């Protein structure tokens, strides 16, 4: 019996006031329950509003969408892992496709961010995924496993066993074209096998989420696929009623 994770990546959406209103509606729909976990990733400036709105719901977790790899210093505009932890984050997205492809984040930087997250006591949600060209060239598994190794390579086995992985094919993010449950499952199996190769006893503890054009209509089928331990949702997490119905899938 799975206890799935539902993670909402709001990207650059929802002001503090919008975020507060969203959480109020969501809490009216979603009572405390043991059989699923919910994580919100609000934009940094709305983070405090969500912390306040969730003050009576410690069952719901929070994460930030990005961190710098240094703990502090002269990096104007950036936020560090210790700052995120101090603000109430438990998770951080690392290696999201928009960080890699819009902001040019490299695999080396992704690895350093994962290490910074772990140093500060944050759980990294490591996002991996191939482009359409890579999929069509038959490179999906090698690309995804390469990203996985680069992200987790500097961690001890115990720290790597505390990570979360999100398989998010780049061609599926924000396009309305999700991976089929079978395609997602196949890549999740490859990720699980790779985790098992360097984390023999801890690999099963690492949840593997699927992300990419998840919506109310496809969430149940994707969640039912073998090795899919939860969903990372962008666009369909922006509407409180719609997100409630996905979380209650
Ligand atoms: C995401 O940004 O992580 C994502 C999965 O986006 P969407 O659900 O909009 O495809």
């Amino acid at each position: 019996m799975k206890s799935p994770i539902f993670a909402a990546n709001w990207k650059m959406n929802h002001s503090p006031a919008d975020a507060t209103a969203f959480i109020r509606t969501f809490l009216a729909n979603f009572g405390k329950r043991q059989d699923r976990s919910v994580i919100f990733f609000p934009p940094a400036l709305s983070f405090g509003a969500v912390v306040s709105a969730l003050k009576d719901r410690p069952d719901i977790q929070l994460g930030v969408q990005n961190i710098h790899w240094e703990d502090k210093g002269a990096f104007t505009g950036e936020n560090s892992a210790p700052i995120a932890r101090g603000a109430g984050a438990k998770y951080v997205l690392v290696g999201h496709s928009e960080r890699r492809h819009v902001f040019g984040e490299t695999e080396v930087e992704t690895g350093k961010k994962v290490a910074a997250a772990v140093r500060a006591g944050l759980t990294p949600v490591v996002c991996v995924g191939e482009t359409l060209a890579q999929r069509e060239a038959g490179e999906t598994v090698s690309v995804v496993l390469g990203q996985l190794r680069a992200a987790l390579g500097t961690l001890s086995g115990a720290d790597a066993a505390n990570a979360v992985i999100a398989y998010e094919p780049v061609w599926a993010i924000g396009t309305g074209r999700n991976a089929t449950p079978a395609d997602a499952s196949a890549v999740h199996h490859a990720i699980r096998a790779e985790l098992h190769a360097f984390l023999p006893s801890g690999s099963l503890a690492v949840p593997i989420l699927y992300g990419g054009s998840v919506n109310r209509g496809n969430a149940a089928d994707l969640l039912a696929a073998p090795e899919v331990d939860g969903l990372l949702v962008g666009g369909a997490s922006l509407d409180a009623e719609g997100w409630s119905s996905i979380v209650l899938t």
Side-chain angles (χ1 to χ4, degrees), residues 9 11 96 98 168 172-175 211-214 232-236:
N9 174 16
K11 312 193 191 200
H96 189 279
E98 287 147 22
E168 297 207 302
I173 295 184
T175 59
S213 293
V214 173
L232 176 55
V233 183

Side-chain angles (χ1 to χ4, degrees), residues 25-201:
T25 303
F26 178 72
L27 294 185
N29 294 336
F30 182 73
K32 286 186 189 167
R33 41 195 299 171
Q34 306 290 330
D35 61 347
R36 59 206 63 207
S37 306
V38 178
I39 312 170
F40 284 101
F41 292 89
L45 288 176
S46 298
F47 192 89
V50 179
V51 170
S52 300
L54 289 175
K55 68 179 183 332
D56 297 325
R57 289 295 297 270
D59 55 309
I60 298 176
Q61 306 295 331
L62 274 163
V64 291
Q65 297 175 11
N66 185 37
I67 50 166
H68 195 275
W69 54 84
E70 295 291 347
D71 293 344
K72 63 179 181 175
F75 300 101
T76 300
E78 294 288 315
N79 286 296
S80 69
I83 291 172
R85 188 86 178 101
K90 189 161 176 235
Y91 294 88
V92 55
L93 298 178
V94 181
H96 189 279
S97 81
E98 287 147 22
R99 299 301 318 171
R100 294 181 194 265
H101 297 286
V102 180
F103 296 100
E105 194 168 298
T106 65
E107 289 190 348
V108 171
E109 290 167 346
T110 298
K112 291 197 290 187
K113 289 183 179 195
V114 168
V118 169
R119 263 198 319 275
L122 293 175
T123 297
V125 178
V126 176
C127 303
V128 294
E130 81 287 4
T131 63
L132 187 57
Q134 289 165 332
R135 171 159 282 259
E136 287 174 349
E139 295 168 0
T140 297
V141 168
S142 65
V143 167
V144 164
L145 297 189
Q147 292 171 340
L148 187 70
R149 285 184 212 113
L152 299 184
T154 60
L155 300 186
S156 69
D159 286 336
N162 283 326
V164 174
I165 310 300
Y167 169 54
E168 297 207 302
V170 179
W171 49 268
I173 295 184
T175 59
R177 182 183 166 197
N178 60 286
T180 64
D183 282 345
S185 207
V187 179
H188 286 217
H189 267 111
I191 292 171
R192 181 72 66 207
E194 180 68 16
L195 289 172
H196 195 66
F198 66 92
L199 291 178
S201 57

